Amino acid sequence: MLVQGGPWVLSVMSLLLLLWQEVSAIEVPLDQKIQQDLKQPPTIMKQSLKDYIVDPRDNIIIECEAKGNPVPTFSWRRNGKFFNVGKDPRVTMRKRSGTLEISFRSGGRPEGYEGEYQCFASNDFGTALTNKILLRVSKSPLWPKEVLEPVVVAEGSSLVLACNPPPGLPPPHTFWMNSDMMSITQDRRVSMGLNGDLYFSNVLAKDSHTDYSCNARFLFTHTIQQKNPYTLKVQTSRKVAETPPNFLSPTGTDSSRMMVLRGQKLQLECIAAGVPTPSIKWYKKGGDLNQKVKLDNFNKTLRIDSVSEEDAGEYMCMANNQIASIRHSIFVQVKAAPYWLDKPFNLVLAPNENSRLVCRANGNPKPLIQWLVNGEPMESDSSLPNPSRSVVGDTIIFHSVQIGSSAVYQCNASNHHGYLLANAFVSILDMAPRMLGAKNQLIKVIENNRTFLDCPFFGSPLPELRWFKNGQGSGLDGGQYRAYINGSLEIKRARVEDQGTYTCLARNILGKEENQVRLEVKEPTRIVRAPEHQSAIRGTMARFDCRVKSDLTLPITVTWLKDDKPLSLGWRLKKDEDSLSIPDVHEQDEGTYTCTVKSEIDQDTASARLTVLEYFFSSGTDHSGTDHSVEPTDVSVSTTVPPPPPPTTSAATTTISSTTTTTTTATTTTTTPPATTTASTTATTPVLVTSTKQADTNVLVGMAPGRVIRNLTVKPNSNYANVSWNHNFPAGSSEFQLEFTLDSNGSVSSVPVNQPPIKLAGLIEGAKYRLRVYSNEYHSISSNVVTFETSAAYIKDQVDIAAQGWFIGLMCAIALIILILLIVCFIKRSRGGKYPVRDKKDLPLEGVDQKGEDGSFDYHSDEDNKPLQGSQNSLDGGVKESDDSLVDYGEGGDGQFNEDGSFIGQYTVKKDKDETEGNESSEATSPVNAIYSLA
Ligand SMILES: *[C@@H]1O[C@H](CO)[C@@H](O)[C@H](O)[C@H]1NC(C)=O
Ligand SMILES: *[C@@H]1O[C@H](CO)[C@@H](O)[C@H](O)[C@H]1NC(C)=O
Ligand SMILES: *[C@@H]1O[C@H](CO)[C@@H](O)[C@H](O)[C@H]1NC(C)=O
Ligand SMILES: *[C@@H]1O[C@H](CO)[C@@H](O)[C@H](O)[C@H]1NC(C)=O
Ligand SMILES: *[C@@H]1O[C@H](CO)[C@@H](O)[C@H](O)[C@H]1NC(C)=O
Ligand SMILES: *[C@@H]1O[C@H](CO)[C@@H](O)[C@H](O)[C@H]1NC(C)=O
């Protein structure tokens, strides 16, 4: 079996194999040099329409453009015969193109050039063809002269006024008008049909006019031609008889046929006569009218804009009025001119390659496929068979193509309704290997990163590419390397030892070519000291670090962004190698600062946030409870605040002690304490305060802009106190710490609380406390300190005792004796010396005093005033008179001084004194405040 049919079976099988095998073709790179050198058969780029109607008043231009290498030459055929363009003085061919231009300036009739034209573009490798271009000159003839008799009809009868426009090219557009150039109103009864005639389903008396005129508009000449008008006379009768419907269009039998081509417009028309005017309905047999169906002209016309096969079938129109109903069937047949299923494409093949060209078209009837080579019919099997190609139906199979067999193939798919012509070239490309990329490229890569060494190449047949390092080895691939078909070599992790020169070598049967790529492996660029989040008081200086480590051979650039926008340095900001300095911090400086370090191959970034803090004065002695927190106008402070430390130290680092700067007016700048500073080091955070006319004891505190806690009020009972305060923190955003100190042993307790008011329970009866509230978030934002005393539990008994008369008497006597003793004592002392210093010196110092011991506090220099602490209120007046000027300051009130620092110092002490006196009505004084913050 196999012996018999062997060769035949084999050849069929190999044919099938070829058919199924992927079409192989070379992908030619878009590289300019390659494209320049690429020999290519012609390709038609532009041509005129198959059905080409020209305006006789213009020059005729028939287009034909093609590209190819070498540039194609052009020739024409007219009506199947060679058209000698050079011999006709009216015809010129455009340069580097086949486009014809026919000019009639020197006479001649355009009609003389009507015909079928075809352009041929040829070069050494083949010939491409255009379609057959049927050239026709547009026509807009006049209406024939005619005499139209008046039309006389009886009312109620039907009427058709014929239009019969002259046969123009392309056909004109028709419409009906009267002598006033008003269009005739169209309605269910009166309308124009597809052929241009005017149909009256029934005539009414009002239709009597002398000026029914059909008009034809010609598209090319933009002219309108008018037919002689009709005169219509209607004979009226007393009563118009009702009549059944009767078709005016279509005429004849009750069915008709219609043929339409796929993709074209279908219009079906049914116009009926009758009294009353019949209405028209459409049906399609065996289904509904689909979405594509449109009804025009008062349902008298059915339209489908683009017909497809499924629109074929029997359409029915029904006309009915009160009298009767009639119908007409139209059998619609859909045919199709050829249309593409698979259009052949240009092929660029290497020598000995196999491939195929496919040309598949459909149509109704089924199109015939005809192949041409360079415009000539392909030789039939009878004459000289070409072993390297065979035609199988709609496919040409190429087998082991040979150099020199380039050609342009034409496929003509035709049927009764038209043809499709496609050109596709087969180009056999032979090219020795070429390198397409830059020569001797330098690639830099960060150590341990992946990299690609590119070596784009081309050649035909496609060359084989191999990589070598430092001119050695047997082709790099596998392991650490991977060679791709596009010529790239991947190095998965570049190590220092991978540095070197790599060679890529492309080789095919026509030759070889090589290129080199040098690889350098670099250290990564890293930010080793990143900027840190920080807070700075307005007016101070902030500094962000950005220290970089990078490969010494890689230049780097450091750029800063603020809130992701480029930071313009201006005159204020300073950038140096390792940092960014922002002197004199403004509120607008708040934001996120990003340091970006870039080398040509990598980059690193780091960000940190700057928070700008505000200064506040908080008043200490405002008895009315009014808070005088204001922004200082004449205060200048310069200090550097470290970034927010952990909560335990934050109070220390953001609160400013006023201990060091009581006398100077100048601004001092201090160095940044390390971020790890603990409470014990806070005394080294000095600050300078200069104040003007703030009358009350003011203290400077670092704060978040605008946030305050004030009006702290305490309503104590025996073992609890109602505590309340005002603040302007956003609702729910903040929690507070309530800190209270038992006076007797100095024990400090702190409880976290939410929103005021709160009840502070568990207090000792009859004990003295100091209390303040501060923000959990910003420890420096604190209320004043309020001192209060819980009531004693035994107060009831006391009242009972006090009510006794004997007790009152005894008490009065004791008081009198003490008073006398005191007066005596006082007079004695006044004579002895001005200050009762020594006696009172032993009074226990408040917590405040310890602070003074470092000597920087002016407080101790005022020890002389201490005695006042022991004084009774009742004696105050007397003491004051003999007291030194400090007391006077206290009484002096606002406005007396244009204070400098020195004043503040003294002033502060005065207030402190008031505090220690236990003056109930005074608010906690600011120094105390400050010191608590420091604690
Ligand atoms: C294609 O074939 C049809 C039918 O043979 C023919 O009428 C038509 O002219 C051909 N077209 C071209 C461009 O040769
Ligand atoms: C046309 O037909 C549609 C439905 O077939 C109908 O709704 C419409 O009223 C008709 N129009 C006229 C002018 O008869
Ligand atoms: C280098 O490799 C690291 C780690 O694999 C990666 O994060 C980085 O983005 C790479 N850099 C470049 C420039 O490819
Ligand atoms: C080559 O191919 C590889 C893998 O598909 C790809 O990663 C590489 O980018 C390509 N190289 C070029 C130059 O296109
Ligand atoms: C709190 O203080 C402000 C100003 O310092 C004052 O206007 C307000 O009345 C006080 N509120 C209470 C409840 O005392
Ligand atoms: C504290 O508040 C509670 C309820 O708000 C009230 O009953 C009580 O009398 C208050 N105590 C004082 C001492 O104001």
Side-chain angles (χ1 to χ4, degrees):
M1 204 170 106
L2 206 128
V3 177
Q4 275 185 353
W8 185 82
V9 168
L10 272 180
S11 71
V12 166
M13 272 177 56
S14 66
L15 215 114
L16 283 175
L17 266 176
L18 276 169
L19 269 173
W20 292 116
Q21 147 192 330
E22 269 300 298
V23 176
S24 64
I26 298 181
E27 234 178 89
V28 183
L30 289 172
D31 187 272
Q32 219 174 2
K33 275 206 71 192
I34 298 253
Q35 292 287 341
Q36 258 171 25
D37 292 0
L38 209 61
K39 300 290 176 219
Q40 240 167 36
T43 305
I44 301 282
M45 305 303 290
K46 210 172 182 186
Q47 55 182 310
S48 292
L49 295 173
K50 271 184 198 163
D51 195 7
Y52 186 40
I53 299 171
V54 296
D55 189 329
R57 293 167 301 177
D58 293 338
N59 288 349
I60 297 172
I61 291 170
I62 315 174
E63 284 187 306
C64 173
E65 284 176 25
K67 65 170 188 187
N69 187 8
V71 176
T73 57
F74 296 86
S75 65
W76 285 87
R77 267 188 216 171
R78 187 174 139 193
N79 297 326
K81 288 196 217 86
F82 174 69
F83 179 34
N84 196 336
V85 174
K87 271 206 170 157
D88 189 330
R90 296 197 190 95
V91 183
T92 48
M93 199 192 282
R94 286 190 187 158
K95 262 218 174 99
R96 285 188 149 251
S97 122
T99 299
L100 295 183
E101 192 162 348
I102 309 171
S103 158
F104 303 101
R105 238 173 293 151
S106 53
R109 285 176 59 250
E111 285 75 13
Y113 288 89
E114 286 187 331
E116 197 181 59
Y117 291 80
Q118 191 172 27
C119 172
F120 293 73
S122 315
N123 69 10
D124 302 347
F125 302 98
T127 302
L129 320 185
T130 64
N131 291 319
K132 286 180 177 161
I133 300 161
L134 180 63
L135 179 84
R136 288 182 294 168
V137 177
S138 77
K139 292 173 188 72
S140 43
L142 300 174
W143 295 87
K145 286 255 180 291
E146 54 185 344
V147 181
L148 296 171
E149 294 294 324
V151 180
V152 182
V153 286
E155 187 175 7
S157 54
S158 66
L159 173 69
V160 180
L161 294 181
C163 178
N164 294 328
L169 183 73
H173 174 82
T174 56
F175 54 100
W176 286 81
M177 297 218 282
N178 62 20
S179 56
D180 296 334
M181 299 308 274
M182 301 287 286
S183 49
I184 309 286
T185 313
Q186 307 270 305
D187 56 22
R188 289 179 57 235
R189 186 178 63 89
V190 182
S191 66
M192 188 181 76
L194 293 173
N195 61 359
D197 294 353
L198 189 63
Y199 291 85
F200 293 75
S201 292
N202 50 73
V203 174
L204 298 182
K206 65 174 186 181
D207 294 330
S208 280
H209 292 293
T210 57
D211 54 0
Y212 286 95
S213 177
C214 186
N215 295 263
R217 191 173 75 225
F218 293 91
L219 300 174
F220 266 66
T221 52
H222 303 289
T223 54
I224 293 175
Q225 295 193 30
Q226 200 166 41
K227 186 185 173 81
N228 280 346
Y230 284 98
T231 299
L232 177 58
K233 283 185 182 152
V234 181
Q235 293 170 325
T236 54
S237 51
R238 220 163 19 87
K239 189 171 183 331
V240 176
E242 295 194 335
T243 51
N246 167 38
F247 283 115
L248 298 174
S249 167
T251 51
T253 59
D254 61 357
S255 75
S256 51
R257 308 202 151 265
M258 181 94 182
M259 196 275 285
V260 64
L261 290 183
R262 180 180 188 270
Q264 292 190 339
K265 182 152 100 178
L266 170 70
Q267 279 182 304
L268 304 178
E269 180 179 66
C270 275
I271 302 176
V275 181
T277 305
S279 54
I280 306 289
K281 283 202 173 120
W282 290 93
Y283 304 91
K284 187 178 178 192
K285 197 166 186 180
D288 286 340
L289 295 176
N290 67 25
Q291 294 291 311
K292 282 157 62 186
V293 173
K294 304 283 178 323
L295 297 179
D296 292 336
N297 199 18
F298 312 95
N299 289 356
K300 289 179 250 188
T301 308
L302 179 148
R303 167 170 59 92
I304 297 175
D305 285 323
S306 176
V307 170
S308 49
E309 279 83 352
E310 70 266 20
D311 295 323
E314 181 183 350
Y315 288 80
M316 261 174 307
C317 67
M318 191 171 81
N320 78 306
N321 65 8
Q322 276 93 321
I323 315 283
S325 157
I326 55 167
R327 61 175 64 194
H328 182 95
S329 288
I330 305 171
F331 294 90
V332 173
Q333 213 183 359
V334 177
K335 298 280 184 177
Y339 55 95
W340 288 121
L341 298 176
D342 275 310
K343 215 176 152 172
F345 291 106
N346 292 341
L347 292 177
V348 178
L349 304 177
N352 293 320
E353 252 187 312
N354 302 331
S355 192
R356 63 201 160 110
L357 278 180
V358 181
C359 175
R360 287 175 57 219
N362 202 358
N364 186 4
K366 185 105 186 123
L368 179 81
I369 305 284
Q370 243 187 315
W371 285 102
L372 308 177
V373 194
N374 298 326
E376 302 297 332
M378 213 153 125
E379 72 276 9
S380 53
D381 284 359
S382 57
S383 73
L384 204 107
N386 184 333
S388 73
R389 73 176 178 225
S390 46
V391 180
V392 180
D394 52 13
T395 303
I396 305 181
I397 296 163
F398 297 95
H399 180 70
S400 187
V401 293
Q402 294 308 306
I403 294 175
S405 60
S406 296
V408 186
Y409 290 81
Q410 285 85 30
C411 156
N412 180 357
S414 61
N415 68 12
H416 184 60
H417 304 291
Y419 70 87
L420 288 172
L421 183 80
N423 288 275
F425 66 65
V426 173
S427 177
I428 318 303
L429 179 64
D430 52 326
M431 193 180 273
R434 294 183 176 209
M435 291 298 160
L436 305 180
K439 288 259 165 214
N440 304 317
Q441 258 193 311
L442 171 64
I443 300 287
K444 296 175 186 173
V445 63
I446 296 297
E447 197 175 343
N448 290 327
N449 275 36
R450 187 165 75 134
T451 189
F452 286 95
L453 307 184
D454 292 336
C455 179
F457 67 101
F458 184 67
S460 180
L462 197 67
E464 182 205 11
L465 187 85
R466 299 176 89 183
W467 283 93
F468 304 94
K469 191 186 168 198
N470 297 332
Q472 303 160 10
S474 54
L476 302 174
D477 198 7
Q480 141 96 332
Y481 301 104
R482 180 153 174 208
Y484 289 96
I485 192 146
N486 60 9
S488 295
L489 180 73
E490 177 187 343
I491 300 178
K492 285 168 186 155
R493 285 186 75 193
R495 299 153 306 173
V496 179
E497 57 267 33
D498 290 328
Q499 203 154 274
T501 301
Y502 291 76
T503 305
C504 57
L505 176 73
R507 188 200 295 269
N508 71 9
I509 46 168
L510 298 166
K512 61 176 181 177
E513 170 103 348
E514 66 174 43
N515 196 0
Q516 255 109 35
V517 182
R518 202 150 59 83
L519 181 70
E520 285 183 5
V521 180
K522 306 288 189 188
E523 271 178 57
T525 305
R526 289 280 167 267
I527 295 177
V528 290
R529 196 200 290 157
E532 290 177 341
H533 297 302
Q534 58 186 283
S535 311
I537 294 173
R538 198 151 65 91
T540 62
M541 178 165 108
R543 206 181 98 112
F544 286 111
D545 287 322
C546 186
R547 176 172 292 174
V548 180
K549 191 166 165 288
S550 69
D551 195 288
L552 292 175
T553 60
L554 274 184
I556 55 161
T557 53
V558 178
T559 50
W560 287 87
L561 300 179
K562 176 168 181 271
D563 298 328
D564 297 330
K565 290 187 201 80
L567 181 67
S568 68
L569 289 175
W571 54 270
R572 195 163 57 90
L573 307 190
K574 280 185 207 69
K575 184 178 107 171
D576 66 21
E577 213 172 286
D578 290 346
S579 67
L580 174 77
S581 307
I582 311 167
D584 186 18
V585 167
H586 302 164
E587 274 131 61
Q588 298 94 305
D589 292 331
E590 188 160 289
T592 302
Y593 289 78
T594 305
C595 166
T596 302
V597 189
K598 263 200 180 107
S599 74
E600 66 186 285
I601 45 175
D602 66 344
Q603 68 171 57
D604 197 8
T605 62
S607 309
R609 198 173 160 74
L610 175 67
T611 309
V612 179
L613 302 177
E614 282 287 331
Y615 282 118
F616 272 80
F617 275 109
S618 67
S619 78
T621 55
D622 196 330
H623 291 238
S624 68
T626 313
D627 194 323
H628 282 185
S629 292
V630 286
E631 283 194 29
T633 46
D634 295 334
V635 172
S636 64
V637 173
S638 184
T639 183
T640 306
V641 177
T648 50
T649 61
S650 68
T653 52
T654 54
T655 305
I656 294 133
S657 148
S658 61
T659 53
T660 58
T661 56
T662 49
T663 55
T664 48
T665 59
T667 302
T668 58
T669 306
T670 60
T671 52
T672 316
T676 52
T677 306
T678 57
S680 63
T681 65
T682 55
T684 64
T685 311
V687 82
L688 173 91
V689 180
T690 58
S691 176
T692 55
K693 50 188 184 247
Q694 287 312 103
D696 292 339
T697 304
N698 289 324
V699 139
L700 205 52
V701 283
M703 291 186 126
R707 301 279 175 237
V708 291
I709 300 173
R710 56 192 174 192
N711 304 24
L712 175 63
T713 55
V714 183
K715 292 202 180 111
N717 207 321
S718 57
N719 60 353
Y720 74 91
N722 289 349
V723 183
S724 150
W725 61 95
N726 292 342
H727 65 85
N728 59 359
F729 284 88
S733 77
S734 180
E735 290 190 336
F736 300 95
Q737 284 286 341
L738 202 144
E739 181 190 79
F740 56 105
T741 312
L742 181 60
D743 242 16
S744 56
N745 63 2
S747 68
V748 182
S749 319
S750 186
V751 285
V753 293
N754 278 318
Q755 297 297 320
I758 59 114
K759 182 174 169 182
L760 180 60
L763 298 178
I764 299 168
E765 295 165 347
K768 228 179 176 181
Y769 287 94
R770 279 170 297 154
L771 178 144
R772 71 173 185 115
V773 175
Y774 62 89
S775 160
N776 219 354
E777 202 176 338
Y778 302 97
H779 288 204
S780 61
I781 301 176
S782 170
S783 71
N784 295 324
V785 173
V786 166
T787 306
F788 68 91
E789 194 169 347
T790 52
S791 50
Y794 50 85
I795 193 149
K796 206 154 194 261
D797 297 340
Q798 244 181 350
V799 171
D800 289 346
I801 294 164
Q804 314 267 333
W806 63 267
F807 182 74
I808 297 170
L810 183 65
M811 277 300 153
C812 287
I814 291 168
L816 192 66
I817 291 163
I818 290 171
L819 186 64
I820 291 165
L821 278 172
L822 278 172
I823 292 169
V824 169
C825 185
F826 188 75
I827 291 166
K828 222 173 139 187
R829 279 184 186 241
S830 298
R831 280 192 202 128
K834 194 173 178 184
Y835 303 110
V837 175
R838 294 301 138 208
D839 289 24
K840 300 296 178 184
K841 204 178 171 188
D842 297 16
L843 283 173
L845 295 172
E846 303 282 341
V848 200
D849 297 1
Q850 274 117 49
K851 284 294 153 200
E853 277 164 358
D854 62 12
S856 62
F857 218 18
D858 251 5
Y859 192 74
H860 279 282
S861 66
D862 288 321
E863 244 182 306
D864 292 3
N865 297 324
K866 287 283 167 172
L868 293 175
Q869 289 177 334
S871 301
Q872 297 298 306
N873 284 349
S874 56
L875 299 180
D876 225 20
V879 173
K880 253 185 224 161
E881 270 161 12
S882 57
D883 207 344
D884 69 8
S885 59
L886 273 179
V887 179
D888 292 332
Y889 287 149
E891 295 290 302
D894 316 14
Q896 249 188 351
F897 300 89
N898 269 336
E899 295 90 342
D900 54 16
S902 63
F903 172 73
I904 286 289
Q906 292 171 344
Y907 190 53
T908 307
V909 171
K910 164 69 170 81
K911 283 298 145 194
D912 192 46
K913 178 197 72 185
D914 284 349
E915 162 64 15
T916 52
E917 276 171 2
N919 187 343
E920 288 290 340
S921 60
S922 91
E923 300 276 328
T925 56
S926 307
V928 173
N929 216 351
I931 282 150
Y932 278 157
S933 319
L934 287 164

